[in-house]
Amino acid sequence: RSMSVKVRSQHHQFIIASQKKTMLKLITWYSQRLESHPLTTKSITSGFISGSGDAICQLIVHENNKKIMRNKGDDKTVNAKFHFDWLRTARFTFLGSVLIAPIVHHWYSFLNKKIPTQRINAVLKRTFYDQTICAPLIMPTFISSVMVLEGKKISDI
């Protein structure tokens, strides 16, 4: 019996070591892509994160709505199937890739050139400028871009 436990333990250690090696290779590959193709890599990453975030959001909203309807005794809605909105996720993926990533890439490059050190004072300055200049501009730009992609008229935005 102890031999069986020992073999399983060795197998488990081998799997963990293999997974660590794979993760290290993946991180190394990704870091190299950030160096060689920074904007493309950031665009793909931002699109993936934006699309994934929207997909998770849709699922969470669906589950929360089911709980609310269950509490209200609405069995018809509780048993409603989840209908994934692929077009909505595609919009978020697209905007993450072609709008957010390039803006953020160039904005942070600009900030890092103007305030280059990593001291806490510089970090706080960059954060201040980011939150007072970029964020107030990028949020309405993103939201209005989503609305345009949804087919809403400019006059309604």
Side-chain angles (χ1 to χ4, degrees):
R1 179 174 167 104
S2 67
M3 185 63 153
S4 173
V5 171
K6 186 175 181 179
V7 169
R8 275 187 278 176
S9 176
Q10 288 173 340
H11 179 71
H12 183 69
Q13 289 173 353
F14 171 77
I15 289 173
I16 290 173
S18 177
Q19 289 173 341
K20 284 182 180 179
K21 196 173 186 180
T22 301
M23 282 303 294
L24 185 59
K25 283 182 181 179
L26 184 61
I27 291 168
T28 300
W29 176 85
Y30 185 76
S31 295
Q32 290 169 345
R33 293 301 143 315
L34 280 172
E35 289 294 322
S36 63
H37 301 89
L39 186 54
T40 301
T41 304
K42 291 173 187 177
S43 291
I44 292 168
T45 302
S46 179
F48 176 77
I49 290 170
S50 298
S52 299
D54 178 68
I56 292 167
C57 180
Q58 288 185 51
L59 186 58
I60 289 170
V61 167
H62 174 75
E63 291 301 318
N64 283 342
N65 286 340
K66 280 174 53 174
K67 286 179 188 174
I68 291 167
M69 292 302 125
R70 188 177 299 118
N71 290 339
K72 289 182 177 182
D74 185 351
D75 292 332
K76 192 182 246 184
T77 306
V78 169
N79 295 325
K81 280 188 173 181
F82 174 62
H83 296 286
F84 188 76
D85 187 346
W86 289 100
L87 191 54
R88 177 181 136 169
T89 299
R91 285 185 205 107
F92 275 85
T93 301
F94 175 76
L95 289 174
S97 296
V98 302
L99 177 70
I100 302 301
I103 290 172
V104 171
H105 170 78
H106 292 295
W107 172 247
Y108 283 119
S109 293
F110 169 77
L111 278 181
N112 285 326
K113 284 178 188 165
K114 295 295 181 187
I115 311 167
T117 69
Q118 295 302 315
R119 285 184 269 157
I120 189 70
N121 192 21
V123 171
L124 292 173
K125 277 184 184 178
R126 286 194 298 268
T127 303
F128 173 78
Y129 290 131
D130 184 52
Q131 294 301 300
T132 58
I133 297 171
C134 189
L137 296 173
I138 205 168
M139 290 307 297
T141 302
F142 180 80
I143 292 168
S144 60
S145 296
V146 168
M147 295 172 91
V148 166
L149 291 175
E150 289 174 338
K152 294 196 169 64
K153 292 185 241 170
I154 299 293
S155 59
D156 294 339
I157 298 175

